[in-house]
């Protein structure tokens, strides 16, 4: 289907595809085994200005929007979801600065983010605060012109590889979510170390680890927005970035579909390619239809966000839920279409199926997204009744 990409958007997509083909596909299986960080790929993405896509031109970026970012993420995800997670989580970490930073903070941090010199990580989750993010216990106590951070963030993507961290911590424990604030923390700050590195089912090329703050002093001017606005920063950041998780789902679904079609066209059983069996054709038809539907929704939502829409939390959640459920379904079916071969590490769909699972969990589980969508619809009903 033609999505009427501009020449520039097509170039971005083609460039991401080229990096995926030349730099990612040859090493993805090895990185999945070794859990090694994809430093060379990150370097190639940086040299191609891919980290600057969504950063305004005045801060060294290309000044593009969510849509262009989604195009790049989709292409990277077709090849390796682990590597696309490093890239997409970087945007997640950068959004609090982009959306809520003051000019001084933007001038200081965004150029290094745009150039890819420094990766960013977003730290919200803790051992006792996953879906219930308001339950965080990390504290930030004002002491003169510094905040002192204490606590541990769990399962943070880009963990030890980032140079800049956006962290949500409590400045007033008595107020719960209303007492949370957002901060920028730099790697190397005394009192900031890394804890357990996770051994994961999938996306193994991306590092997931603990961030440990032990009397970590940061300048008071590293607060984003104002005290008490941390939860808002986190929620607006996630609204913005969730469509990107949708584009990850779309990418891995397309990657698995392509592999399944290729295999089914070449695999001969009963004297004919297995794609000629109606049972296989119907599976492929469903996989292709859902993937295209995911693409339409993800692209529409990304374009809607870029149009300057103010409230897109419902549609962003819809794009994430639909595209990531599609990813799980399509990657699982790709393994089925390919039979025993699909189950073997000789083919990439086994990895794609393991990788896809995380998309239904991180940046808010798909159950939580359905809560968001349902509550939003209920609010509209109440509003319409009043109006
Ligand atoms: C690989 C990986 C990378 C991650 N990267 C980051 C990161 O970079 N930064 C960051 O801050 N966090 C990150 N996370 C954390 C991630 O966002 C959380 O795992 C996620 O929000 C879910 O929290 P939880 O795992 O604690 O699940 P829980 O909240 O314990 O939920 C368990 C189950 O209960 C369901 N559930 C809980 N509450 C409700 C409810 N009210 N209604 C319906 N169902 C409910 C959930 O959907 C889930 O099925 C990452 C996690 C993983 C695994």
């Amino acid at each position: 289907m033609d999505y009427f990409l501009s020449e520039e958007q097509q170039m971005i997509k083609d460039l991401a595809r080229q990096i995926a083909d030349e730099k990612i596909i040859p090493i993805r299986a090895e990185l999945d085994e070794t859990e090694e960080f994809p430093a060379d790929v990150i370097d190639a993405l940086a040299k191609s200005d891919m980290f600057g896509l969504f950063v305004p031109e005045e801060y060294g970026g290309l000044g593009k929007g969510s849509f262009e970012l989604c195009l790049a993420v989709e292409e990277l995800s077709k090849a390796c979801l682990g590597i696309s997670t490093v890239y997409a989580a970087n945007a997640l970490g950068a959004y609090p600065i982009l959306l809520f930073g003051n000019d001084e903070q933007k001038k200081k941090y965004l150029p290094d983010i745009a150039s890819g010199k420094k990766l960013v990580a977003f730290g919200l989750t803790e051992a006792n605060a996953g879906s219930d993010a308001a339950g965080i216990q990390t504290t930030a106590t004002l002491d003169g012109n510094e905040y002192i951070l204490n606590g541990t963030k769990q399962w943070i993507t880009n963990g030890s590889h980032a140079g800049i961290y956006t962290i949500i911590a409590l400045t007033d424990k008595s107020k719960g979510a209303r007492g949370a604030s957002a901060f920028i923390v730099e790697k190397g700050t005394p009192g900031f170390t890394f804890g357990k590195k996770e051994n994961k089912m999938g996306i193994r090329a991306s590092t997931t680890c603990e961030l440990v703050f032990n009397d970590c002093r940061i300048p008071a001017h590293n607060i984003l927005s104002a005290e008490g606005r941390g939860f808002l920063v986190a929620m607006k950041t996630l609204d913005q970035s969730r469509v990107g998780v949708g584009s990850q789902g779309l990418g891995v679904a397309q990657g698995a579909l392509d592999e399944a079609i290729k295999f089914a066209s070449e695999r001969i059983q009963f004297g004919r390619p297995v794609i000629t069996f109606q049972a296989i054709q119907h599976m492929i038809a469903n996989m292709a239809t859902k993937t295209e539907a995911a693409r339409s929704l993800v692209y529409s939502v990304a374009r809607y966000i870029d149009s300057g829409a103010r409230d897109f939390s419902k549609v962003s959640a819809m794009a994430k839920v639909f595209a990531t459920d599609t990813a799980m379904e399509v990657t699982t079916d790709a393994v089925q279409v390919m039979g025993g071969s699909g189950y073997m590490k000789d083919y990439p769909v086994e990895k794609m199926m393991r990788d896809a699972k995380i998309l239904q969990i991180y940046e808010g589980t798909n159950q939580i997204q359905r809560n968001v969508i349902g509550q939003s619809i209920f609010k509209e009903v109440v509003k319409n009744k009043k109006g």
Side-chain angles (χ1 to χ4, degrees):
M1 223 161 87
D2 192 341
Y3 289 94
F4 305 103
L5 303 191
S6 67
E7 211 173 297
E8 205 176 17
Q9 288 163 346
Q10 191 60 50
M11 268 173 55
I12 290 166
K13 198 169 160 68
D14 292 346
L15 186 57
R17 183 73 207 153
Q18 192 185 341
I19 294 171
D21 285 344
E22 291 174 7
K23 304 275 182 192
I24 298 179
I25 290 179
I27 58 162
R28 65 183 172 188
E30 190 191 330
L31 296 191
D32 179 51
E33 284 288 330
T34 60
E35 290 192 283
E36 206 183 300
F37 186 75
D40 289 349
V41 180
I42 297 307
D43 205 34
L45 288 167
K47 284 188 177 128
S48 310
D49 286 335
M50 283 292 175
F51 286 106
L53 272 188
F54 61 96
V55 176
E57 284 173 298
E58 57 185 307
Y59 303 111
L62 298 180
K64 303 294 162 208
S66 275
F67 184 54
E68 286 80 8
L69 185 61
C70 281
L71 292 175
V73 169
E74 178 189 353
E75 290 305 318
L76 301 180
S77 305
K78 268 187 210 168
C80 176
L81 211 52
I83 292 176
S84 90
T85 294
V86 176
Y87 180 73
N90 185 70
L92 170 71
Y95 277 136
I97 303 175
L98 201 66
L99 300 176
F100 292 93
N102 57 36
D103 195 44
E104 207 175 306
Q105 290 166 334
K106 288 180 180 175
K107 271 190 190 136
K108 181 168 181 192
Y109 294 104
L110 291 180
D112 281 351
I113 295 172
S115 68
K117 190 172 162 196
K118 287 185 182 167
L119 284 179
V120 202
F122 176 71
L124 172 63
T125 304
E126 298 179 8
N128 294 319
S131 302
D132 184 10
I136 58 167
Q137 285 159 17
T138 295
T139 53
T141 312
L142 190 61
D143 181 32
N145 57 359
E146 291 176 324
Y147 280 100
I148 310 169
L149 265 58
N150 277 294
T152 299
K153 294 291 171 183
Q154 179 181 261
W155 300 342
I156 305 305
T157 303
N158 289 342
S160 52
H161 295 283
I164 302 165
Y165 297 80
T166 45
I167 300 296
I168 311 297
L170 295 177
T171 37
D172 187 343
K173 262 187 151 178
S174 68
K175 289 189 181 158
R178 285 176 197 277
S181 306
F183 299 93
I184 304 170
V185 183
E186 294 181 32
K187 184 185 229 166
T189 308
F192 174 26
T193 53
F194 304 106
K196 185 183 174 213
K197 182 186 173 216
E198 303 299 337
N199 182 0
K200 306 192 294 292
M201 171 198 274
I203 60 161
R204 289 165 59 82
S206 84
T207 304
T208 314
C209 80
E210 281 179 340
L211 312 180
V212 183
F213 301 100
N214 194 356
D215 286 335
C216 171
R217 287 178 172 269
I218 58 166
H221 57 74
N222 275 22
I223 192 165
L224 285 160
S225 188
E227 275 197 13
R229 308 240 310 158
F231 209 61
L232 177 84
V233 171
M235 293 305 117
K236 292 282 175 198
T237 290
L238 289 163
D239 283 350
Q240 183 87 26
S241 80
R242 268 185 196 123
V243 68
V245 182
S247 66
Q248 286 194 289
L250 161 61
V252 72
Q254 186 66 59
L257 175 62
D258 293 346
E259 293 292 335
I261 293 171
K262 183 168 177 284
F263 182 90
S265 308
E266 290 166 2
R267 173 71 173 165
I268 308 291
Q269 287 294 276
F270 301 96
R272 51 199 254 214
V274 297
I275 199 168
T276 61
F277 296 118
Q278 195 183 47
I280 295 292
Q281 280 185 13
H282 281 187
M283 283 185 81
I284 288 176
N286 285 340
M287 291 157 76
T289 305
K290 286 195 177 153
T291 303
E292 204 57 61
R295 180 171 291 110
S296 296
L297 184 56
V298 166
Y299 283 13
S300 302
V301 171
R303 282 174 156 152
Y304 180 60
I305 293 172
D306 291 342
S307 75
R310 282 171 60 91
D311 184 5
F312 42 81
S313 128
K314 178 179 80 174
V315 289
S316 199
M318 284 174 166
K320 196 248 180 193
V321 163
F322 188 80
T324 61
D325 282 354
T326 295
M328 198 64 245
E329 220 175 298
V330 170
T331 54
T332 306
D333 282 354
V335 171
Q336 188 68 22
V337 165
M338 293 173 65
S341 301
Y343 198 71
M344 303 300 162
K345 285 184 188 281
D346 300 334
Y347 292 89
V349 292
E350 167 272 338
K351 170 182 175 314
M352 288 170 171
M353 182 179 156
R354 278 187 288 112
D355 285 350
K357 187 62 206 169
I358 190 59
L359 302 176
Q360 295 177 306
I361 297 171
Y362 68 18
E363 294 201 26
T365 66
N366 282 7
Q367 287 99 320
I368 294 296
Q369 299 315 302
R370 286 184 167 88
N371 290 352
V372 169
I373 297 164
Q375 281 154 13
S376 177
I377 290 168
F378 179 59
K379 268 189 205 159
E380 284 161 18
V381 171
V382 173
K383 200 175 151 197
N384 288 343
K385 263 192 184 166
K386 277 186 187 158

